[in-house]
Amino acid sequence: MTVQLDSPGIASVDEASSTEAELGHMFDQLKALDAQILEVIKRRSELSQRIGAAAEAAAATREAQAEEMAVLNRFQELGADGSALAMTLLRLGRTRA
């Protein structure tokens, strides 16, 4: 039995290295996005904590609660995972006592 190297389903060495290079590039992009996401989440948490402290000082708890519901609604398009993500963001942004 003879197998041709150019048969469908059998990757050549060049195709394999090209795929590995492409994967490496995509993983690098993910790492960069993760770093950006982490930085934005930190900024969001700090701002949310400042807002929470200001709302508490001004007795504006209803406004803060309404905004939390708006956060949940904004992430609704991601389904159940979006709700979980929104809840996590809200927890990260709550003022620490």
Side-chain angles (χ1 to χ4, degrees), residues 2-93:
T2 310
V3 177
Q4 292 179 330
L5 290 179
D6 62 347
S7 296
I10 299 177
S12 70
V13 173
D14 290 339
E15 288 172 339
S17 11
S18 173
T19 301
E20 287 178 21
E22 186 177 343
L23 278 172
H25 179 68
M26 288 188 288
F27 282 129
D28 289 344
Q29 288 179 318
L30 276 179
K31 288 176 196 172
L33 285 171
D34 286 346
Q36 290 174 7
I37 290 167
L38 186 56
E39 184 58 35
V40 170
I41 288 172
K42 287 178 184 178
R43 285 186 9 222
R44 186 194 190 287
S45 295
E46 291 169 5
L47 180 59
S48 183
Q49 288 173 15
R50 288 177 38 208
I51 290 169
E56 188 176 318
T61 54
R62 278 197 180 173
E63 291 83 357
Q65 289 173 344
E67 182 54 32
E68 286 193 355
M69 291 306 298
V71 170
L72 291 169
N73 289 335
R74 285 194 292 268
F75 284 82
Q76 199 172 40
E77 70 180 81
L78 298 176
D81 289 336
S83 296
L85 176 58
M87 290 302 295
T88 299
L89 291 172
L90 291 171
R91 273 196 308 277
L92 286 169

